[in-house]
Amino acid sequence: MPARKKHLLILGGTAEAAALVAATGDRFGARLTVTTSLAGRTLTPRAGLGQLRIGGFGGAAGLAGWLQTEKVDMVVDATHPFAGTISANARQACDTTGISRLILTRPSWDAGPDDRWREVADFAAAASALSGIGSRVFLSVGSQKLQAFSQLRGVHLVVRMIDAPQEPLPLVSYSVILGRGPFTEDAELGLLRREKIDAVLSRNSGGVSTYAKIVAARRLALPVVMIAPPPIEIGPCTIDQEGALQWISEKLAVAAT
Ligand code: NAP
């Protein structure tokens, strides 16, 4: 009887997760079934994610149950560095079920000599830091994080979102521009100039896909309030796709012996 195909769950929502899905198809072909899981934050997921499931699992226990029901053999947590809850849930669920888990993350950015960063620990500190640093601030942090800026007065926030908000944002003064990355440096430069931005708020997300705005801010000598990344979840971790492919390959080899 042919061996059962191994089942990989990729916790996604990032460009790195999407790229890994494509790469696993090229590298392992029919030896592997790949499911991508998304939280469902955007109306239209990016194309090419293979077999998709969308929406929360119901905490770590729900995820553990799902892994067992769907006979998942291995999990790659390729979620955004600031998506701490799902990463903690993945660790707990994999510990409970004994399923192997790898974290695919990104090295965070470092300030260069021409950067004007003010590094802060969290969103609350970022809101305090923005007062007095600029009058038109560009940010793209996701609607769920905007509550932290609800009391901010005297600052107009230019908020970039993937989908138009269904309800007014919880902000005193704001405008919305729509767009889905990655963005080029020239496009970001044009945006910052066009919108007369005098400061940028960013999370230190690392990676390449959102770095262009940081380069554009540097070129315009704008101050950047930079939120530090949370600690990476405990467990095996890689910062590149090849490392993730190697890990999957090793798991497949072990399963075949
Ligand atoms: P979070 O705070 O860590 O997760 C909140 C809840 O959303 C989780 O407890 C889980 O619900 C559900 N969830 C999150 N990611 C999921 C996934 N990939 N598949 C299924 N359910 C998921 O995460 P977040 O910051 O809201 O981010 C949500 C998603 O957007 C992540 O997949 C992340 O990769 C992506 N993303 C986030 C950011 C960011 O700035 N945080 C930026 C770009 C992309 P249950 O507990 O019910 O399972």
Side-chain angles (χ1 to χ4, degrees):
M1 202 168 70
R4 179 178 71 83
K5 279 170 75 171
K6 297 297 166 193
H7 188 182
L8 165 68
L9 173 67
I10 298 179
L11 296 168
T14 58
E16 288 81 358
L20 183 62
V21 175
T24 53
D26 293 343
R27 182 76 62 97
F28 305 111
R31 293 163 64 201
L32 194 63
T33 300
V34 180
T35 301
T36 299
S37 177
L38 301 177
R41 301 279 187 263
T42 56
L43 291 176
T44 42
R46 62 180 93 222
L49 293 179
Q51 191 168 297
L52 258 188
R53 67 156 304 286
I54 298 181
F57 295 95
L63 176 54
W66 194 92
L67 294 175
Q68 288 175 316
T69 307
E70 300 299 323
K71 297 187 170 37
V72 171
D73 299 287
M74 57 191 112
V75 174
V76 174
D77 174 4
T79 55
H80 191 272
F82 279 74
T85 307
I86 187 69
S87 291
N89 289 351
R91 175 179 53 76
Q92 280 183 48
C94 288
D95 285 355
T96 308
T97 55
I99 294 170
S100 300
R101 170 184 58 102
L102 178 74
I103 298 164
L104 172 58
T105 190
R106 320 152 172 178
S108 53
W109 303 317
D110 293 320
D114 297 329
D115 285 311
R116 294 178 57 206
W117 291 8
R118 184 183 297 182
E119 297 184 78
V120 296
D122 53 30
F123 281 90
S128 304
L130 282 180
S131 292
I133 219 175
S135 57
R136 281 181 70 83
V137 174
F138 173 65
L139 68 161
S140 52
V141 297
S143 56
Q144 296 191 324
K145 311 293 182 195
L146 292 175
Q147 193 62 43
F149 306 100
S150 62
Q151 302 303 316
L152 192 60
R153 291 171 197 283
V155 179
H156 182 82
L157 298 176
V158 178
V159 185
R160 181 162 62 200
M161 311 180 88
I162 293 176
D163 300 310
Q166 301 300 303
E167 294 172 4
L169 300 179
L171 301 172
V172 177
S173 174
Y174 71 95
S175 47
V176 172
I177 51 177
L178 298 180
R180 186 197 290 257
F183 304 96
T184 64
E185 284 172 32
D186 284 346
E188 297 293 59
L189 203 55
L191 171 85
L192 297 182
R193 285 189 173 129
R194 197 166 53 249
E195 293 289 337
K196 300 187 170 31
I197 298 297
D198 55 13
V200 171
L201 169 78
S202 177
R203 292 162 302 185
N204 192 336
S205 304
V208 292
S209 62
T210 58
Y211 192 59
K213 66 174 181 274
I214 306 302
V215 179
R218 181 189 305 142
R219 283 169 64 180
L220 295 174
L222 298 182
V224 176
V225 173
M226 183 67 81
I227 304 175
I232 297 171
E233 193 51 67
I234 296 163
C237 181
T238 183
I239 55 165
D240 61 43
Q241 186 186 86
E242 188 51 41
L245 292 170
Q246 191 59 40
W247 181 86
I248 295 165
S249 176
E250 284 163 15
K251 297 294 162 200
L252 288 174
V254 168
T257 55

